[in-house]
Coordinates of all heavy atoms in Angstrom, one line a residue:
Chain E
Y137 N -29.9 2.7 32.3 CA -29.3 3.3 33.5 C -29.9 4.6 33.8 O -30.0 5.5 32.9 CB -27.8 3.4 33.3 CG -27.0 2.5 34.2 CD1 -26.6 1.3 33.9 CD2 -26.7 3.0 35.5 CE1 -25.8 0.5 34.7 CE2 -26.0 2.2 36.4 CZ -25.5 1.0 36.0 OH -24.8 0.2 36.8
P138 N -30.3 4.9 35.0 CA -30.7 6.3 35.4 C -29.6 7.3 35.2 O -28.5 7.0 35.7 CB -31.2 6.2 36.8 CG -31.3 4.8 37.1 CD -30.4 4.0 36.2
M139 N -29.8 8.4 34.6 CA -28.7 9.4 34.3 C -28.1 9.9 35.6 O -27.0 10.3 35.6 CB -29.2 10.5 33.5 CG -29.3 10.3 32.0 SD -27.6 10.0 31.3 CE -27.1 11.8 31.2
N140 N -28.9 9.8 36.7 CA -28.3 10.3 38.0 C -27.6 9.2 38.8 O -27.2 9.5 40.0 CB -29.4 11.1 38.8 CG -30.6 10.2 39.1 OD1 -30.6 9.0 38.7 ND2 -31.6 10.7 39.8
Q141 N -27.5 8.1 38.2 CA -26.8 7.0 38.9 C -25.8 6.2 38.0 O -25.7 5.0 38.0 CB -27.8 6.0 39.5 CG -28.7 6.5 40.6 CD -29.9 5.6 40.7 OE1 -31.0 6.0 40.4 NE2 -29.7 4.4 41.3
L142 N -25.1 7.0 37.2 CA -24.3 6.4 36.2 C -23.1 5.7 36.8 O -22.4 6.3 37.7 CB -23.8 7.4 35.2 CG -24.8 8.0 34.2 CD1 -24.2 9.1 33.4 CD2 -25.4 6.9 33.3
P143 N -22.7 4.6 36.3 CA -21.4 4.0 36.7 C -20.2 4.6 35.9 O -20.5 5.4 35.0 CB -21.6 2.5 36.2 CG -22.4 2.6 35.0 CD -23.4 3.8 35.2
D144 N -19.0 4.2 36.2 CA -17.9 4.6 35.4 C -18.1 4.0 34.0 O -18.4 2.8 33.9 CB -16.6 4.1 36.0 CG -16.1 4.9 37.2 OD1 -16.6 6.1 37.3 OD2 -15.3 4.5 37.9
L145 N -17.8 4.7 33.0 CA -18.0 4.2 31.6 C -16.7 3.9 31.0 O -15.6 4.5 31.3 CB -18.8 5.2 30.8 CG -20.2 5.5 31.3 CD1 -20.9 6.4 30.3 CD2 -21.0 4.2 31.5
A146 N -16.7 3.0 30.0 CA -15.5 2.6 29.3 C -15.1 3.8 28.3 O -15.9 4.6 28.0 CB -15.7 1.4 28.5
F147 N -13.8 3.8 28.0 CA -13.3 4.7 27.0 C -13.6 6.2 27.4 O -13.7 6.5 28.5 CB -13.8 4.4 25.5 CG -13.6 3.0 25.1 CD1 -14.6 2.1 25.1 CD2 -12.3 2.5 24.8 CE1 -14.5 0.8 24.7 CE2 -12.1 1.2 24.4 CZ -13.2 0.3 24.3
D148 N -14.0 7.0 26.3 CA -14.4 8.4 26.6 C -15.9 8.4 26.5 O -16.5 9.4 26.1 CB -13.8 9.3 25.6 CG -14.0 8.9 24.1 OD1 -14.6 7.8 23.9 OD2 -13.5 9.6 23.2
H149 N -16.6 7.3 26.9 CA -18.1 7.3 26.7 C -18.8 8.3 27.6 O -19.9 8.7 27.3 CB -18.6 5.9 26.8 CG -18.2 5.0 25.7 ND1 -18.8 3.8 25.4 CD2 -17.4 5.2 24.6 CE1 -18.3 3.3 24.3 NE2 -17.4 4.1 23.8
Q150 N -18.2 8.6 28.7 CA -18.8 9.6 29.6 C -18.9 11.0 28.8 O -19.9 11.7 28.8 CB -18.0 9.8 30.8 CG -18.5 10.9 31.8 CD -19.9 10.5 32.4 OE1 -20.2 9.4 32.5 NE2 -20.7 11.6 32.6
E151 N -17.9 11.3 28.1 CA -17.9 12.5 27.3 C -18.9 12.5 26.1 O -19.6 13.4 25.9 CB -16.4 12.7 26.7 CG -16.2 14.1 26.0 CD -14.8 14.2 25.3 OE1 -14.0 13.3 25.5 OE2 -14.6 15.2 24.6
I152 N -19.0 11.3 25.5 CA -19.9 11.2 24.4 C -21.3 11.3 25.0 O -22.2 11.9 24.4 CB -19.7 9.8 23.7 CG1 -18.3 9.8 23.0 CG2 -20.8 9.6 22.6 CD1 -17.9 8.4 22.4
L153 N -21.6 10.6 26.1 CA -22.9 10.7 26.7 C -23.3 12.1 27.1 O -24.4 12.5 26.9 CB -22.9 9.7 28.0 CG -24.1 9.8 28.8 CD1 -25.4 9.5 28.0 CD2 -24.0 8.7 30.0
Q154 N -22.3 12.8 27.7 CA -22.7 14.2 28.0 C -23.0 15.1 26.8 O -23.9 15.9 26.9 CB -21.5 14.9 28.9 CG -21.4 14.2 30.2 CD -22.6 14.3 31.1 OE1 -23.4 15.2 31.0 NE2 -22.9 13.2 31.8
Y155 N -22.3 14.8 25.7 CA -22.6 15.5 24.5 C -24.0 15.2 24.0 O -24.8 16.0 23.6 CB -21.6 15.1 23.4 CG -21.6 16.1 22.2 CD1 -20.7 17.1 22.2 CD2 -22.5 16.0 21.2 CE1 -20.7 18.0 21.1 CE2 -22.5 16.9 20.2 CZ -21.6 17.9 20.1 OH -21.6 18.8 19.1
G156 N -24.4 13.9 24.1 CA -25.8 13.5 23.8 C -26.8 14.1 24.7 O -27.9 14.5 24.2
Y157 N -26.4 14.2 25.9 CA -27.4 14.8 26.9 C -27.6 16.3 26.6 O -28.8 16.8 26.6 CB -26.8 14.7 28.3 CG -27.6 15.2 29.5 CD1 -29.0 14.9 29.5 CD2 -27.0 15.8 30.5 CE1 -29.7 15.4 30.6 CE2 -27.8 16.3 31.6 CZ -29.1 16.0 31.6 OH -29.9 16.5 32.7
R158 N -26.6 17.0 26.2 CA -26.8 18.4 25.8 C -27.7 18.5 24.5 O -28.6 19.3 24.4 CB -25.4 19.1 25.4 CG -24.7 19.5 26.7 CD -23.6 20.6 26.3 NE -22.6 20.1 25.4 CZ -21.6 19.4 25.7 NH1 -21.4 19.0 27.0 NH2 -20.7 19.1 24.8
R159 N -27.5 17.5 23.6 CA -28.3 17.5 22.4 C -29.8 17.3 22.8 O -30.7 17.9 22.3 CB -27.9 16.4 21.4 CG -28.7 16.3 20.2 CD -28.6 17.4 19.1 NE -27.2 17.5 18.7 CZ -26.7 17.0 17.5 NH1 -27.5 16.3 16.8 NH2 -25.5 17.2 17.2
L160 N -30.0 16.3 23.7 CA -31.4 16.1 24.2 C -32.0 17.3 24.8 O -33.2 17.6 24.5 CB -31.3 14.9 25.2 CG -32.7 14.6 25.9 CD1 -33.7 14.1 24.9 CD2 -32.5 13.6 27.0
R161 N -31.3 18.0 25.6 CA -31.8 19.2 26.3 C -32.2 20.2 25.2 O -33.2 20.9 25.2 CB -30.8 19.7 27.3 CG -30.6 18.8 28.4 CD -29.4 19.2 29.3 NE -29.6 20.5 29.9 CZ -30.0 20.7 31.2 NH1 -30.2 19.7 32.0 NH2 -30.2 21.9 31.6
N162 N -31.2 20.4 24.3 CA -31.5 21.4 23.2 C -32.7 21.0 22.4 O -33.5 21.9 22.0 CB -30.3 21.5 22.3 CG -29.2 22.3 22.9 OD1 -29.4 23.0 23.9 ND2 -27.9 22.1 22.4
K163 N -32.8 19.8 22.1 CA -33.9 19.4 21.2 C -35.3 19.6 21.9 O -36.3 19.9 21.3 CB -33.8 17.9 20.8 CG -32.7 17.8 19.7 CD -32.7 16.4 19.1 CE -33.8 16.3 18.0 NZ -33.3 16.7 16.7
L164 N -35.3 19.4 23.2 CA -36.6 19.6 23.9 C -37.0 21.1 23.8 O -38.2 21.4 23.8 CB -36.4 19.3 25.4 CG -36.6 17.9 25.9 CD1 -36.5 17.8 27.4 CD2 -38.0 17.3 25.4
E165 N -36.0 22.0 23.6 CA -36.3 23.4 23.5 C -36.9 23.8 22.2 O -37.6 24.8 22.1 CB -35.1 24.2 23.8 CG -34.6 24.1 25.3 CD -33.3 24.7 25.6 OE1 -32.6 25.2 24.6 OE2 -32.9 24.7 26.8
Y166 N -36.6 23.1 21.1 CA -37.0 23.6 19.8 C -37.7 22.5 18.9 O -37.9 22.8 17.8 CB -35.9 24.3 19.1 CG -34.7 23.4 18.7 CD1 -34.8 22.6 17.6 CD2 -33.6 23.4 19.5 CE1 -33.8 21.8 17.2 CE2 -32.5 22.6 19.1 CZ -32.6 21.8 18.0 OH -31.6 20.9 17.7
S167 N -37.9 21.3 19.4 CA -38.5 20.3 18.5 C -39.5 19.5 19.3 O -39.4 19.4 20.6 CB -37.4 19.4 17.9 OG -37.1 18.4 18.8
P168 N -40.4 18.8 18.7 CA -41.5 18.1 19.4 C -41.0 16.7 19.8 O -41.8 15.8 19.8 CB -42.6 18.1 18.4 CG -41.9 18.1 17.1 CD -40.6 18.8 17.2
I169 N -39.8 16.6 20.2 CA -39.2 15.3 20.6 C -39.9 14.7 21.8 O -40.0 13.4 21.9 CB -37.7 15.4 20.8 CG1 -37.0 14.0 20.8 CG2 -37.4 16.2 22.0 CD1 -35.5 14.1 20.8
A170 N -40.5 15.5 22.7 CA -41.1 15.0 23.9 C -42.3 14.1 23.5 O -42.6 13.1 24.3 CB -41.7 16.2 24.7
F171 N -43.0 14.4 22.4 CA -44.1 13.6 22.1 C -43.8 12.2 21.6 O -44.6 11.3 21.4 CB -45.0 14.4 21.1 CG -45.3 15.7 21.7 CD1 -44.7 16.8 21.1 CD2 -46.0 15.9 22.8 CE1 -44.8 18.1 21.6 CE2 -46.2 17.2 23.3 CZ -45.6 18.3 22.7
E172 N -42.5 12.0 21.3 CA -42.0 10.7 20.9 C -41.9 9.7 22.1 O -41.8 8.5 22.0 CB -40.7 10.8 20.2 CG -40.8 11.4 18.8 CD -39.5 11.8 18.2 OE1 -38.5 11.2 18.6 OE2 -39.5 12.7 17.4
V173 N -41.9 10.3 23.3 CA -41.8 9.4 24.5 C -43.0 9.4 25.4 O -43.2 8.5 26.2 CB -40.5 9.7 25.3 CG1 -39.3 9.3 24.6 CG2 -40.4 11.2 25.7
L174 N -43.8 10.5 25.3 CA -45.0 10.5 26.1 C -46.0 9.5 25.5 O -45.9 9.1 24.4 CB -45.7 11.9 26.1 CG -45.0 12.9 27.0 CD1 -45.7 14.3 26.7 CD2 -45.2 12.6 28.5
P175 N -47.0 9.0 26.4 CA -48.1 8.2 25.8 C -48.8 9.1 24.8 O -48.7 10.3 24.8 CB -48.9 7.9 27.0 CG -48.1 8.3 28.2 CD -47.1 9.2 27.8
E176 N -49.7 8.5 24.0 CA -50.4 9.2 23.0 C -51.2 10.4 23.6 O -51.3 11.5 23.1 CB -51.3 8.3 22.2 CG -52.3 9.0 21.3 CD -52.3 8.4 19.9 OE1 -51.8 7.3 19.7 OE2 -52.8 9.1 19.0
L177 N -51.9 10.1 24.7 CA -52.7 11.1 25.4 C -52.0 11.4 26.7 O -51.6 10.5 27.5 CB -54.1 10.6 25.7 CG -54.9 10.2 24.5 CD1 -56.4 9.8 24.9 CD2 -55.0 11.3 23.4
F178 N -51.9 12.7 27.0 CA -51.2 13.1 28.2 C -51.8 14.4 28.7 O -52.4 15.2 28.0 CB -49.7 13.4 27.8 CG -49.5 14.2 26.6 CD1 -49.5 15.6 26.7 CD2 -49.4 13.7 25.4 CE1 -49.4 16.4 25.6 CE2 -49.3 14.5 24.2 CZ -49.3 15.9 24.4
T179 N -51.6 14.7 30.0 CA -52.0 16.0 30.5 C -50.8 17.0 30.4 O -49.7 16.6 30.2 CB -52.3 15.9 32.0 OG1 -51.1 15.6 32.8 CG2 -53.3 14.8 32.3
L180 N -51.1 18.3 30.5 CA -50.1 19.3 30.4 C -49.1 19.1 31.6 O -47.9 19.4 31.5 CB -50.7 20.7 30.4 CG -51.4 21.0 29.1 CD1 -52.0 22.4 29.2 CD2 -50.5 20.9 27.9
G181 N -49.7 18.6 32.7 CA -48.8 18.3 33.9 C -47.8 17.1 33.6 O -46.7 17.2 34.0
D182 N -48.3 16.1 32.8 CA -47.4 15.1 32.4 C -46.2 15.6 31.5 O -45.1 15.3 31.6 CB -48.1 14.0 31.5 CG -49.2 13.2 32.3 OD1 -49.1 13.2 33.5 OD2 -50.1 12.7 31.6
L183 N -46.6 16.5 30.6 CA -45.6 17.1 29.7 C -44.6 18.0 30.5 O -43.4 17.9 30.3 CB -46.4 18.0 28.7 CG -45.5 18.7 27.6 CD1 -44.8 17.7 26.7 CD2 -46.4 19.5 26.7
Y184 N -45.2 18.7 31.4 CA -44.3 19.6 32.3 C -43.3 18.7 33.1 O -42.1 19.0 33.2 CB -45.1 20.4 33.2 CG -44.3 21.3 34.1 CD1 -43.6 22.4 33.6 CD2 -44.3 21.1 35.5 CE1 -42.9 23.3 34.4 CE2 -43.6 22.0 36.3 CZ -42.9 23.0 35.8 OH -42.2 23.9 36.6
Q185 N -43.9 17.6 33.6 CA -43.0 16.7 34.4 C -41.9 16.1 33.5 O -40.8 15.9 34.0 CB -43.9 15.6 34.9 CG -43.2 14.6 35.8 CD -42.6 15.3 37.0 OE1 -43.3 15.9 37.8 NE2 -41.3 15.3 37.2
L186 N -42.2 15.7 32.3 CA -41.2 15.2 31.4 C -40.1 16.2 31.2 O -38.9 15.9 31.3 CB -41.8 14.8 30.0 CG -40.8 14.4 28.9 CD1 -40.2 13.1 29.3 CD2 -41.5 14.3 27.6
Y187 N -40.4 17.5 30.9 CA -39.4 18.5 30.7 C -38.6 18.7 32.0 O -37.4 18.9 32.0 CB -40.1 19.9 30.3 CG -40.2 20.0 28.8 CD1 -41.2 19.3 28.1 CD2 -39.4 20.8 28.1 CE1 -41.3 19.5 26.8 CE2 -39.5 20.9 26.7 CZ -40.5 20.3 26.1 OH -40.6 20.4 24.7
T188 N -39.3 18.6 33.2 CA -38.6 18.8 34.4 C -37.6 17.6 34.6 O -36.5 17.8 35.1 CB -39.6 18.8 35.6 OG1 -40.5 19.9 35.3 CG2 -38.9 19.1 36.9
T189 N -38.0 16.4 34.2 CA -37.2 15.3 34.4 C -35.9 15.4 33.6 O -34.8 15.1 34.1 CB -37.9 14.0 33.9 OG1 -39.1 13.8 34.7 CG2 -37.0 12.8 34.0
V190 N -36.0 16.0 32.4 CA -34.8 16.1 31.6 C -34.0 17.4 31.9 O -32.8 17.4 32.0 CB -35.1 16.1 30.1 CG1 -33.9 16.2 29.2 CG2 -35.8 14.7 29.8
L191 N -34.7 18.5 32.1 CA -34.1 19.8 32.2 C -33.8 20.2 33.6 O -33.1 21.2 33.8 CB -34.9 20.9 31.5 CG -35.2 20.7 30.0 CD1 -36.0 21.8 29.5 CD2 -33.9 20.6 29.2
G192 N -34.4 19.6 34.6 CA -34.2 20.0 36.0 C -35.4 20.8 36.4 O -36.2 21.3 35.6
E193 N -35.5 21.0 37.7 CA -36.7 21.6 38.4 C -37.0 23.0 37.9 O -38.1 23.4 37.7 CB -36.5 21.6 39.9 CG -36.6 20.2 40.5 CD -38.0 19.6 40.4 OE1 -39.0 20.3 40.2 OE2 -38.1 18.4 40.5
N194 N -35.9 23.8 37.7 CA -36.2 25.2 37.6 C -36.1 25.7 36.1 O -35.8 26.9 35.9 CB -35.1 26.0 38.4 CG -35.3 25.6 39.9 OD1 -36.4 25.6 40.4 ND2 -34.2 25.3 40.5
F195 N -36.4 24.9 35.2 CA -36.3 25.4 33.8 C -37.4 26.4 33.4 O -37.1 27.3 32.6 CB -36.3 24.2 32.8 CG -37.7 23.7 32.5 CD1 -38.3 24.2 31.4 CD2 -38.4 22.8 33.3 CE1 -39.6 23.7 31.0 CE2 -39.6 22.4 33.0 CZ -40.3 22.9 31.9
S196 N -38.5 26.3 34.1 CA -39.6 27.3 33.8 C -40.7 27.0 34.8 O -40.8 25.9 35.3 CB -40.2 27.0 32.4 OG -41.4 27.7 32.2
D197 N -41.5 28.0 35.1 CA -42.6 27.7 36.0 C -43.8 27.1 35.2 O -43.9 27.3 34.0 CB -43.0 28.9 36.9 CG -43.7 30.0 36.1 OD1 -44.7 29.7 35.5 OD2 -43.2 31.1 36.2
Y198 N -44.6 26.4 35.9 CA -45.7 25.7 35.1 C -46.6 26.5 34.3 O -46.9 26.2 33.2 CB -46.5 24.8 36.1 CG -47.6 24.1 35.4 CD1 -47.3 23.1 34.5 CD2 -48.9 24.4 35.7 CE1 -48.3 22.4 33.8 CE2 -50.0 23.7 35.0 CZ -49.7 22.7 34.1 OH -50.7 22.1 33.5
S199 N -47.0 27.7 34.9 CA -48.0 28.5 34.1 C -47.4 29.1 32.9 O -48.1 29.2 31.9 CB -48.7 29.5 35.1 OG -47.8 30.5 35.3
N200 N -46.2 29.6 32.9 CA -45.5 30.1 31.7 C -45.4 29.0 30.7 O -45.6 29.2 29.5 CB -44.1 30.6 32.0 CG -44.1 32.0 32.6 OD1 -45.0 32.7 32.3 ND2 -43.0 32.3 33.3
F201 N -44.9 27.8 31.1 CA -44.8 26.7 30.3 C -46.1 26.3 29.6 O -46.1 26.2 28.3 CB -44.3 25.5 31.1 CG -44.1 24.2 30.3 CD1 -43.0 23.9 29.6 CD2 -45.1 23.2 30.4 CE1 -42.8 22.8 28.9 CE2 -44.9 22.0 29.7 CZ -43.8 21.8 29.0
R202 N -47.1 26.2 30.4 CA -48.4 25.9 29.9 C -48.9 26.9 28.8 O -49.4 26.5 27.7 CB -49.4 25.9 31.1 CG -50.8 25.5 30.8 CD -51.6 25.5 32.1 NE -52.9 24.9 31.9 CZ -54.0 25.5 31.3 NH1 -53.8 26.7 30.8 NH2 -55.1 24.8 31.1
S203 N -48.8 28.2 29.1 CA -49.4 29.2 28.2 C -48.5 29.2 26.9 O -49.1 29.4 25.8 CB -49.5 30.5 28.8 OG -48.2 31.0 29.2
R204 N -47.2 29.1 27.1 CA -46.4 29.1 25.9 C -46.7 27.9 24.9 O -46.8 28.1 23.7 CB -44.9 29.0 26.4 CG -43.9 29.2 25.3 CD -42.8 30.1 25.7 NE -42.1 30.5 24.5 CZ -41.0 31.3 24.5 NH1 -40.6 31.9 25.7 NH2 -40.4 31.7 23.4
L205 N -46.8 26.7 25.5 CA -47.0 25.6 24.7 C -48.4 25.6 24.0 O -48.5 25.3 22.8 CB -46.9 24.3 25.5 CG -45.6 23.5 25.5 CD1 -45.4 22.9 24.1 CD2 -44.4 24.4 25.8
L206 N -49.4 26.1 24.8 CA -50.8 26.1 24.2 C -50.8 27.1 23.0 O -51.5 26.9 22.0 CB -51.8 26.5 25.3 CG -52.1 25.3 26.3 CD1 -53.1 25.8 27.3 CD2 -52.6 24.1 25.5
K207 N -50.1 28.2 23.2 CA -50.1 29.3 22.2 C -49.5 28.8 20.8 O -49.9 29.3 19.8 CB -49.3 30.5 22.7 CG -49.8 31.8 22.2 CD -49.1 33.0 22.9 CE -47.8 33.4 22.3 NZ -47.2 34.5 23.0
L208 N -48.6 27.8 20.9 CA -48.0 27.3 19.7 C -49.0 26.6 18.8 O -48.8 26.4 17.6 CB -46.8 26.5 20.0 CG -45.5 27.2 20.5 CD1 -44.5 26.3 21.1 CD2 -44.9 28.0 19.4
G209 N -50.1 26.1 19.4 CA -51.2 25.6 18.6 C -51.1 24.2 18.2 O -52.0 23.7 17.4
F210 N -50.2 23.4 18.6 CA -50.1 22.0 18.2 C -50.5 21.0 19.2 O -50.3 19.8 19.1 CB -48.8 21.7 17.5 CG -47.6 22.0 18.4 CD1 -47.3 21.3 19.6 CD2 -46.7 23.0 18.0 CE1 -46.3 21.6 20.4 CE2 -45.6 23.3 18.8 CZ -45.4 22.6 20.0
L211 N -51.1 21.5 20.4 CA -51.6 20.6 21.4 C -53.1 20.6 21.3 O -53.7 21.6 21.5 CB -51.1 21.0 22.8 CG -49.6 20.9 23.0 CD1 -49.3 21.3 24.5 CD2 -49.1 19.5 22.8

Side-chain angles (χ1 to χ4, degrees):
Chain E
Y137 245 96
M139 277 294 283
N140 57 3
Q141 292 163 252
L142 288 177
D144 283 345
L145 299 184
F147 307 107
D148 54 357
H149 286 194
Q150 179 64 30
E151 186 186 354
I152 299 174
L153 174 54
Q154 291 305 323
Y155 197 95
Y157 183 41
R158 283 202 297 280
R159 176 74 59 96
L160 173 64
R161 296 169 62 100
N162 286 339
K163 286 190 81 89
L164 275 185
E165 292 172 352
Y166 65 79
S167 85
I169 193 172
F171 309 108
E172 291 169 23
V173 291
L174 281 175
E176 171 134 16
L177 302 183
F178 51 85
T179 68
L180 292 178
D182 295 339
L183 182 60
Y184 181 67
Q185 184 59 62
L186 173 68
Y187 271 77
T188 302
T189 300
V190 178
L191 299 179
E193 290 294 337
N194 298 311
F195 82 94
S196 168
D197 70 57
Y198 176 66
S199 72
N200 277 338
F201 177 80
R202 183 180 191 282
S203 62
R204 187 139 194 176
L205 262 291
L206 287 178
K207 214 170 84 180
L208 288 167
F210 52 68
L211 294 181

